[in-house]
Amino acid sequence: MDNKEDFSQFRRQSQKGILVIYINILYKALKAFWFLLFLFIQKFSKIPEGKLVYIYIGVAALLLFFLIRAFLIFKNFQFKIANNHFILKKGILKKTNTSIPFDRIQNINFKQNIIQQIIDVHEVNIETAGSSKAEISIKALSYKEASALKQAITVLDNNSVATPSIETAEKPLLKVGFSALIKVSLTENHLQSLLLLFAVLVGFFQQINDLFDRLGKQDVLDNYITKNTSSLESNVLLIVGFLILLSVIAVLSSLVRVVLRHFNLTVYVKNSALEIYQGLITKKSVILKKDKVQHITISHNPIKKKLGISFITFKQAISGKVKKKQDKVIKIVGCKVIQVSAIKDLLFPDKNFDDLAQNFSDSYFRVRLYLRCVFILIIINMGLYLGLGNSSIFWINSLLIPIFIAATELSFKKRYYLFNTDVLIVGSGTIETHKTYLPFFKVQNVELKQTLFQAQKNVADIVFQTASGKIKIPCIHVEKAKQIYNYTLFKIETSQKLWM
Amino acid sequence: MTDSFQNISVTSFPDITEIEFRAIDKKYLKVLLINVFLVFLVVFPVLFFADKKGFFELSRNSIWIYLALFLVFIAVLSIKTIGFKKRKYAIREKDVSYKNGIFFRSLTTVPFNRIQHIEIDQGPISRFFGLASLSVFTAGDSSDDLKISGLLKEDAQQIKEFISNKIDG
């Protein structure tokens, strides 16, 4: 790649960026005011002809205003590279000048939503771990510019690497084809997908409810719902049908979710980083630097285990105020055993975990899990009784209690920890099985927790706070907990490696 | 247990339980108690007015509500007083630790080389007693980092200097 792009002078994005920004503004405006638009369309016929012209003019003026705004945003958005800093000037009225030193840059990601795909530009996101305001998004660069920019930043970052031409080994570590992706999505946690869909729908429903509230048609909607629910109660067949429909929806929603997010998932190993490309409508490319990964979790469920596939979640450092924590969690699906061990080798070289025995939590942990179940059961029973006022509802316990017992036993059995000199491994899960790998030196601080009951049993929880969340080993013997506590501190304090 | 941890002699690691923890300043108990008083000073009138307006619909038995609140008040005061003795901190060469709690005991240690920044702040009541609290922030979800309340202002200042020097050096 000939690196002819010159970043030493201030420069703007690609011209096409105006379109991207424009559509982005329009999308935001639509999202905020869609119900106004809805109202408007509903009353469209009632508006007299004469006044319609004004509305057209108003809309046109608004669109023009957005266009000018987009142009000004484009005009004022300038960036350059100087003295190992990425410098950005932006703002129409309120000018901001951001400067980020290269060693603070955590990731440089490329992204393409559908519009950016059509006009063939890439969005470049520069992620930092420190202050949350320094998250930079350049909306439109040509591929050549984008990769030149990435190279300029990453090359200067590792001064030791003189020639970045190690692009010969272009064989992907992992490539998930469409059929494999279908397999992955069919074995997803469908209940979770359903809940996610449900959450989206509830949000949507509330918005509609608000709308009807404003229109004063609340009664109509309520009547409609009550009429339907009452017939629901009387008809068992309908309930069964509803359940089947629900499960079909669940499977479909996980199918859609997985395909949208992980379409054409390809992972390369380059230098000591993972390059991940995925997505259908929004294409994303992420570079995961080895040092920036805080901990990883390898997970599978019983069906996935049968098929020999698992998914890996990479957790990177997040800053306290970032709302979109999801962005810092990178997930790759459909990994075979070989690929899992390849990634493990990359992140934790020369480590052998096989001959380590698993240490389990004290049996007090089981007691605690059961207590928690009893508590949840009481709440469910109370809620159902108060809600429906029918004592036959208590029969639901005959179904719930076995489920709860099974879940508790499973999660107790799957809780274990083991460690060698550098890495701690924590197992967890109920139906799914998770295995988290945490290098000791990535821990930010440690906490030992003990309730009075735990003190009587001489057990304690140990909590490792990392830059990307907490990892907990519940209810282990105090002596062991203290040993681990001291050892972790020793590892952190003597570590010469940077945690990111 | 057959992990390699056993292979390393445990005695070679500095033990957190063997170091001497220091209690925080005694005046801080007053700050805590005054805070409790202030909260109840707000709750009592609210309850009184709610009762007067017949909000609880048990006009005759309303004495029990006051009694319950009073008991809660006493309980909170005594828990704060007993728990106060459990609030201790320690500073070693490379880390800072804090422990507290009676029902929920916790011990937290933050190594100096993971500290992002340090803050000293003073509430109005603490300022009256010349006390300050020292907060230590690490990367990540900073909600759960370490905060030592009830240090003398000078002590807090000194500790901050000490840690800052350690971080830079």
Side-chain angles (χ1 to χ4, degrees):
Chain A
M1 199 184 300
D2 52 334
N3 196 347
K4 276 184 189 152
E5 303 291 339
D6 175 26
F7 293 105
S8 60
Q9 298 301 317
F10 271 115
R11 55 186 293 154
R12 300 201 172 90
Q13 319 172 51
S14 153
Q15 301 273 329
K16 296 169 184 166
I18 302 176
L19 185 66
V20 178
I21 298 167
Y22 184 49
I23 289 171
N24 202 12
I25 294 175
L26 279 185
Y27 174 69
K28 269 188 203 155
L30 266 182
K31 210 168 141 190
F33 298 111
W34 69 271
F35 59 86
L36 275 183
L37 203 71
F38 184 82
L39 280 182
F40 172 70
I41 290 168
Q42 210 190 27
K43 299 210 170 127
F44 193 71
S45 52
K46 291 177 197 159
I47 299 167
E49 282 288 317
K51 286 192 179 171
L52 216 54
V53 180
Y54 293 114
I55 290 168
Y56 285 141
I57 291 173
V59 169
L62 210 62
L63 288 179
L64 190 69
F65 168 73
F66 284 151
L67 188 64
I68 293 169
R69 193 175 146 75
F71 180 70
L72 285 175
I73 289 175
F74 167 77
K75 200 83 184 160
N76 285 294
F77 191 98
Q78 290 181 312
F79 59 93
K80 73 168 180 179
I81 288 172
N83 315 324
N84 282 4
H85 280 62
F86 178 88
I87 296 162
L88 173 77
K89 282 200 302 193
K90 66 170 179 183
I92 304 171
L93 293 174
K94 190 185 142 213
K95 307 269 183 199
T96 43
N97 207 330
T98 320
S99 151
I100 307 173
F102 285 163
D103 50 0
R104 286 273 152 182
I105 292 174
Q106 198 177 21
N107 267 332
I108 303 156
N109 300 335
F110 291 179
K111 216 170 125 181
Q112 270 190 309
N113 62 23
I114 198 131
I115 292 149
Q116 285 159 334
Q117 276 180 56
I118 291 169
I119 60 173
D120 191 32
V121 290
H122 290 252
E123 180 176 335
V124 178
N125 288 318
I126 300 180
E127 286 180 20
T128 58
S131 53
S132 50
K133 62 164 187 179
E135 304 273 319
I136 286 171
S137 159
I138 305 170
K139 290 278 180 237
L141 285 179
S142 72
Y143 184 72
K144 208 174 139 218
E145 278 179 303
S147 40
L149 177 67
K150 185 169 90 181
Q151 224 173 41
I153 291 174
T154 42
V155 165
L156 286 168
D157 183 15
N158 346 315
N159 281 322
S160 53
V161 186
T163 47
S165 58
I166 322 167
E167 288 178 24
T168 42
E170 277 292 284
K171 200 168 160 280
L173 170 75
L174 169 70
K175 189 159 171 59
V176 181
F178 192 69
S179 59
L181 205 60
I182 299 288
K183 232 196 268 180
V184 168
S185 54
L186 287 180
T187 55
E188 274 292 284
N189 185 347
H190 296 305
L191 203 64
Q192 199 186 5
S193 317
L194 195 66
L195 284 178
L196 273 175
L197 187 75
F198 194 65
V200 172
L201 285 182
V202 165
F204 194 65
F205 180 74
Q206 258 168 3
Q207 233 171 345
I208 290 177
N209 226 357
D210 281 357
L211 191 69
F212 276 99
D213 243 2
R214 275 196 209 100
L215 295 176
K217 282 181 185 164
Q218 184 61 39
D219 297 341
V220 183
L221 199 67
D222 275 350
N223 277 339
Y224 179 75
I225 288 169
T226 41
K227 207 167 76 190
N228 279 288
T229 42
S230 62
S231 60
L232 238 171
E233 273 164 3
S234 60
N235 200 335
V236 181
L237 208 69
L238 222 107
I239 293 177
V240 174
F242 183 67
L243 283 178
I244 292 171
L245 186 74
L246 216 59
S247 24
V248 170
I249 289 173
V251 174
L252 274 182
S253 72
S254 39
L255 195 76
V256 169
R257 197 164 54 97
V258 169
V259 170
L260 278 186
R261 227 172 122 191
H262 299 294
F263 183 73
N264 208 3
L265 169 68
T266 321
V267 180
Y268 295 97
V269 181
K270 255 185 214 170
N271 298 334
S272 59
L274 288 171
E275 290 196 24
I276 301 166
Y277 301 88
Q278 59 186 6
L280 183 64
I281 292 176
T282 305
K283 279 187 193 163
K284 267 187 184 173
S285 104
V286 181
I287 297 202
L288 207 58
K289 284 189 205 161
K290 186 180 143 189
D291 300 338
K292 314 281 177 189
V293 177
Q294 299 295 311
H295 53 93
I296 67 166
T297 305
I298 299 170
S299 327
H300 56 75
N301 57 28
I303 309 171
K304 283 199 161 119
K305 200 180 175 187
K306 280 258 159 58
L307 293 171
I309 50 175
S310 44
F311 59 91
I312 305 181
T313 320
F314 299 90
K315 292 264 178 78
Q316 292 178 279
I318 45 166
S319 47
K321 279 145 204 143
V322 176
K323 278 182 209 144
K324 285 187 264 169
K325 283 182 185 172
Q326 283 303 318
D327 284 0
K328 300 269 176 167
V329 177
I330 292 161
K331 198 168 134 183
I332 58 176
V333 295
C335 298
K336 298 257 164 47
V337 180
I338 317 164
Q339 286 135 1
V340 170
S341 59
I343 286 168
K344 245 192 287 184
D345 282 348
L346 177 77
L347 291 172
F348 316 113
D350 320 319
K351 300 283 168 4
N352 190 14
F353 305 106
D354 300 333
D355 51 354
L356 300 175
Q358 295 178 348
N359 303 287
F360 290 93
S361 290
D362 190 85
S363 59
Y364 177 76
F365 182 50
R366 185 189 266 142
V367 176
R368 183 157 86 184
L369 286 176
Y370 274 116
L371 282 177
R372 207 172 285 170
C373 283
V374 169
F375 188 67
I376 295 171
L377 273 176
I378 288 173
I379 288 181
I380 290 177
N381 276 312
M382 293 241 293
L384 284 176
Y385 184 69
L386 292 177
L388 299 170
N390 191 341
S391 57
S392 65
I393 201 71
F394 290 126
W395 283 106
I396 201 170
N397 285 330
S398 62
L399 190 71
L400 282 180
I401 289 172
I403 294 176
F404 272 65
I405 289 175
T408 305
E409 286 300 322
L410 271 176
S411 32
F412 178 70
K413 223 172 75 188
K414 288 192 176 174
R415 263 288 177 182
Y416 67 88
Y417 68 94
L418 52 96
F419 51 92
N420 65 11
T421 46
D422 292 311
V423 183
L424 174 79
I425 301 172
V426 180
S428 64
T430 311
I431 294 168
E432 291 191 328
T433 308
H434 305 288
K435 204 169 168 188
T436 303
Y437 291 72
L438 171 70
F440 278 118
F441 77 95
K442 301 262 179 181
V443 174
Q444 298 288 324
N445 63 60
V446 247
E447 191 180 2
L448 203 65
K449 280 172 134 178
Q450 202 178 31
T451 63
L452 263 191
F453 303 111
Q454 280 178 314
Q456 276 172 7
K457 298 274 185 238
N458 211 20
V459 293
D461 298 345
I462 182 161
V463 183
F464 300 93
Q465 180 86 43
T466 72
S468 54
K470 284 182 202 171
I471 291 171
K472 191 173 172 186
I473 309 178
C475 300
I476 54 175
H477 204 264
V478 169
E479 280 310 308
K480 268 188 209 166
K482 274 180 185 160
Q483 279 175 18
I484 296 172
Y485 194 93
N486 289 329
Y487 184 68
T488 309
L489 286 176
F490 167 77
K491 277 312 249 192
I492 302 171
E493 285 158 18
T494 54
S495 155
Q496 298 300 319
K497 285 187 270 186
L498 290 171
W499 59 271
M500 68 153 275
Chain B
M1 208 163 89
T2 53
D3 38 12
S4 55
F5 183 50
Q6 291 286 305
N7 297 339
I8 309 161
S9 157
V10 176
T11 48
S12 65
F13 303 118
D15 192 347
I16 191 79
T17 45
E18 278 174 14
I19 56 170
E20 208 167 299
F21 277 82
R22 286 173 66 183
I24 57 170
D25 199 89
K26 285 208 177 67
K27 279 182 279 181
Y28 190 64
L29 181 59
K30 289 179 196 160
V31 178
L32 283 175
L33 296 185
I34 289 172
N35 277 332
V36 175
F37 267 109
L38 284 178
V39 169
F40 278 89
L41 218 60
V42 176
V43 174
F44 260 116
V46 168
L47 203 67
F48 184 73
F49 275 110
D51 186 38
K52 270 277 184 270
K53 296 274 178 204
F55 194 72
F56 297 116
E57 295 171 3
L58 32 77
S59 49
R60 228 168 291 163
N61 298 325
S62 63
I63 184 75
W64 293 106
I65 292 173
Y66 292 111
L67 203 66
L69 188 71
F70 186 69
L71 282 179
V72 170
F73 178 59
I74 296 294
V76 171
L77 276 188
S78 44
I79 287 171
K80 288 272 179 196
T81 316
I82 300 165
F84 179 75
K85 286 174 195 149
K86 298 282 179 189
R87 292 167 178 250
K88 282 179 175 171
Y89 70 98
I91 289 156
R92 295 195 288 183
E93 198 189 335
K94 286 184 172 175
D95 53 30
V96 50
S97 312
Y98 180 65
K99 62 177 178 184
N100 70 335
I102 26 176
F103 295 117
F104 301 97
R105 289 174 204 169
S106 91
L107 163 67
T108 311
T109 304
V110 182
F112 291 156
N113 56 4
R114 293 289 178 272
I115 292 177
Q116 299 282 315
H117 70 280
I118 316 165
E119 248 176 46
I120 290 180
D121 52 326
Q122 280 185 303
I125 304 168
S126 286
R127 189 173 308 150
F128 180 77
F129 289 102
L131 297 173
S133 55
L134 181 86
S135 307
V136 167
F137 297 90
T138 59
D141 221 352
S142 48
S143 58
D144 269 66
D145 292 333
L146 188 133
K147 183 177 183 182
I148 308 172
S149 304
L151 293 168
L152 280 177
K153 183 82 197 280
E154 304 87 71
D155 285 353
Q157 210 66 266
Q158 255 176 26
I159 294 169
K160 192 185 165 187
E161 285 297 289
F162 177 75
I163 296 176
S164 301
N165 282 336
K166 285 280 178 188
I167 297 170
D168 297 336

